[in-house]
Amino acid sequence: MKNIAEIDTNFKVETKINKPDIKFYDIRKPPFQINGVFFEDGQYRRMPAAVAKNISDGVFALHANTAGGRVRFKTDSPYIAIYTKMPAICKMPHFALTGSAGFDLYCGDSGYVNTFVPPFDIVDGYESVVEIKSAGMHEFTINFPLYSDVSELYIGLSETATVCAPTPYRIEKPVVYYGSSITQGGCASRPGSAYESILSRRFSCDHINLGFSGNAKGESEMAEYISRLDMSVFVYDYDHNAPSPEHLQLTHEPMFKKIRSAHPDLPIVMMSMPRPKLNQKQEQRLEIIRTTYRNAIQSGDKNVYLIDGRTLMQMAGNEGTVDTDHPTDFGFTSMAKTISEVFEQILPFAY
């Protein structure tokens, strides 16, 4: 079969930017604001490499995947382009390349604008441009790929355009999410569709995505690292990745206690795996999480919350997945709806 772009030009990916007035900016320099990732030793990371390596080989392999990364700015440029270098690119048969390896663009005035679609044969990065249809100064967010690494990102704007710093988040201390491949964003069609991104836009809050596909196992070293973060809320769900109910039982409450000890007043949200129906072993896992929650309540904790994972998929059911496990955009929207109901109780400036 021919390349689809040869048959339908609507699928053509622009890989050579033809803008005579283009000027590229390094996002690490003001006025651009980077959230969710930081630059260390030549690439963007979600946590320090030395910490990730100490936790497990799997976490180290995934810690530079840029899930949750964003760059924010204001501009009146009539177009926005990107030029990126990506040393590791993830391709999977059940995961859109626009989600695993693409960037997407949001405007504070109108929401989703478009996706910087990567070419199907992407090797080590790409370039792309999105036209802005509405004139004037707007606030923009570019979301980083969910399952790939990024070493360089430059933003191209008209050389006559104004560019300035974004409006601060209403909630500047990040919400920290820890969990499995679902937490990392598999299998959203694009980064802005992951449930954390939906919630970030809904509540104007920063966030850090510590989802580690297949490798979120509640390690004590991970609990120690998270306990040192300055955050507004902690959400954890690694039910899927705990190798057994016994493992979950040995790690779930200790992780809670470690973080609670460091943050006596922090809202902590416990979630079980997002599935509309549970088998016997999955019910056992849910009961372990319930036990951690009940023990906290009985000890006098007034800032702990439990979300039964079945309610996360209440709106979508299995229709909201690609394989009965990993959510589609519909599934992530369903998850965000349920979590929003809890966030409305605990986040300031909820609206």
Side-chain angles (χ1 to χ4, degrees), residues 329-343:
D329 294 359
F330 182 31
F332 280 123
T333 299
S334 179
M335 291 182 68
K337 180 179 182 297
T338 299
I339 300 168
S340 285
E341 293 168 2
V342 175
F343 278 14

Side-chain angles (χ1 to χ4, degrees), residues 101-351:
F103 296 76
D104 65 5
L105 178 68
Y106 277 77
C107 175
D109 300 324
S110 56
Y112 171 65
V113 178
N114 212 327
T115 301
F116 298 100
V117 179
F120 186 73
D121 57 355
I122 183 173
V123 176
D124 59 359
Y126 70 110
E127 57 185 9
S128 180
V129 63
V130 168
E131 302 293 336
I132 306 302
K133 297 178 181 178
S134 177
M137 182 70 72
H138 300 287
E139 188 151 21
F140 292 99
T141 298
I142 295 177
N143 295 299
F144 281 59
L146 297 166
Y147 269 70
S148 296
D149 297 359
V150 177
S151 59
E152 297 177 28
L153 178 61
Y154 295 89
I155 292 176
L157 307 172
S158 168
E159 64 183 359
T160 61
T162 299
V163 58
C164 54
T167 304
Y169 281 117
R170 286 187 177 91
I171 303 167
E172 294 190 71
K173 285 188 180 182
V175 178
V176 175
Y177 299 89
Y178 172 67
S180 66
S181 56
I182 295 171
T183 305
Q184 188 171 337
C187 293
S189 68
R190 49 188 180 77
S193 294
Y195 77 84
E196 300 93 341
S197 292
I198 297 171
L199 291 166
S200 182
R201 294 190 297 273
R202 164 75 172 79
F203 293 98
S204 185
C205 59
D206 193 7
H207 72 277
I208 296 172
N209 185 323
L210 295 179
F212 295 97
S213 189
N215 284 275
K217 299 178 181 178
E219 300 93 341
S220 60
E221 296 87 353
M222 181 64 78
E224 173 63 31
Y225 172 70
I226 293 172
S227 74
R228 298 196 301 267
L229 298 177
D230 190 15
M231 48 192 159
S232 62
V233 182
F234 175 56
V235 182
Y236 76 131
D237 159 27
Y238 64 97
D239 190 358
H240 260 304
N241 285 173
S244 66
E246 293 75 21
H247 179 97
L248 186 64
Q249 188 163 20
L250 288 171
T251 57
H252 194 268
E253 191 163 25
M255 173 170 267
F256 168 76
K257 287 183 174 179
K258 180 69 178 177
I259 293 164
R260 173 55 78 224
S261 176
H263 302 274
D265 301 316
L266 178 73
I268 297 179
V269 181
M270 306 171 185
M271 303 197 307
S272 62
M273 65 175 69
R275 295 182 73 91
K277 294 182 180 179
L278 303 178
N279 61 32
Q280 187 175 1
K281 279 196 172 182
Q282 290 161 351
E283 287 273 12
Q284 185 181 353
R285 290 168 176 266
L286 173 56
E287 186 56 31
I288 290 166
I289 296 168
R290 278 201 189 111
T291 299
T292 302
Y293 172 74
R294 283 195 296 258
N295 289 345
I297 293 294
Q298 289 169 6
S299 71
D301 197 315
K302 299 185 183 302
N303 220 355
V304 61
Y305 304 84
L306 173 66
I307 297 178
D308 183 327
R310 289 172 294 190
T311 67
L312 291 167
M313 298 302 288
Q314 193 166 19
M315 183 172 74
N318 272 338
E319 289 289 340
T321 72
V322 297
D323 53 7
T324 75
D325 282 328
H326 298 93
T328 60
D329 294 359
F330 182 31
F332 280 123
T333 299
S334 179
M335 291 182 68
K337 180 179 182 297
T338 299
I339 300 168
S340 285
E341 293 168 2
V342 175
F343 278 14
E344 285 168 359
Q345 303 173 49
I346 60 181
L347 282 175
F349 312 113
Y351 61 96

Side-chain angles (χ1 to χ4, degrees), residues 40-94:
E40 178 191 73
D41 294 336
Q43 67 185 102
Y44 293 93
R45 305 173 191 272
R46 295 181 284 159
M47 66 190 306
V51 174
K53 194 166 188 176
N54 189 47
I55 294 169
S56 73
D57 290 343
V59 167
F60 181 67
L62 295 164
H63 83 284
N65 284 181
T66 54
R70 285 146 285 141
V71 57
R72 303 167 60 239
F73 56 98
K74 291 180 182 177
T75 188
D76 57 358
S77 178
Y79 62 85
I80 297 175
I82 65 167
Y83 174 85
T84 182
K85 288 292 186 181
M86 303 168 65
I89 294 166
C90 182
K91 293 183 178 181
M92 288 182 273
H94 63 319

